[in-house]
Amino acid sequence: MFHSLIYLASEVKLPPEHFKFLRELTPQFVNTRYPDAAYGLPKELYDEEIAQEYLKKTKEIFKWLKLQIDK
């Protein structure tokens, strides 16, 4: 359960517009942590464009989280 970004986002009441990205990102921990389960090394599955997009969207979520903490 605690590997679920959807669950964690629900707990902090993250705005709904971020959930599509989190549904996409949540299963990626399997691919990056267990390359044999993903049938490829992370460097073979992800390129710079994918990484930059994940980073951009993740930064947006962290920005929102920081604003909540600062309140």
Side-chain angles (χ1 to χ4, degrees):
M1 178 186 299
F2 294 111
H3 287 304
S4 171
L5 296 175
I6 300 298
Y7 170 78
L8 295 171
S10 297
E11 288 294 301
V12 298
K13 298 180 179 31
L14 189 72
E17 61 266 21
H18 297 291
F19 279 73
K20 180 180 178 191
F21 169 62
L22 294 178
R23 283 190 296 275
E24 177 185 331
L25 188 62
T26 294
Q28 299 306 318
F29 90 90
V30 174
N31 294 341
T32 57
R33 186 168 180 172
Y34 307 106
D36 55 327
Y39 302 106
L41 297 172
K43 70 178 186 174
E44 298 166 344
L45 300 173
Y46 304 97
D47 60 17
E48 186 170 346
E49 181 181 353
I50 293 169
Q52 289 297 330
E53 187 64 23
Y54 284 171
L55 184 60
K56 176 185 167 206
K57 291 178 180 178
T58 301
K59 284 181 177 180
E60 292 172 8
I61 292 171
F62 274 101
K63 182 178 176 182
W64 182 88
L65 288 168
K66 184 175 182 338
L67 287 173
Q68 302 313 301
I69 292 169
D70 290 344
K71 284 184 177 180

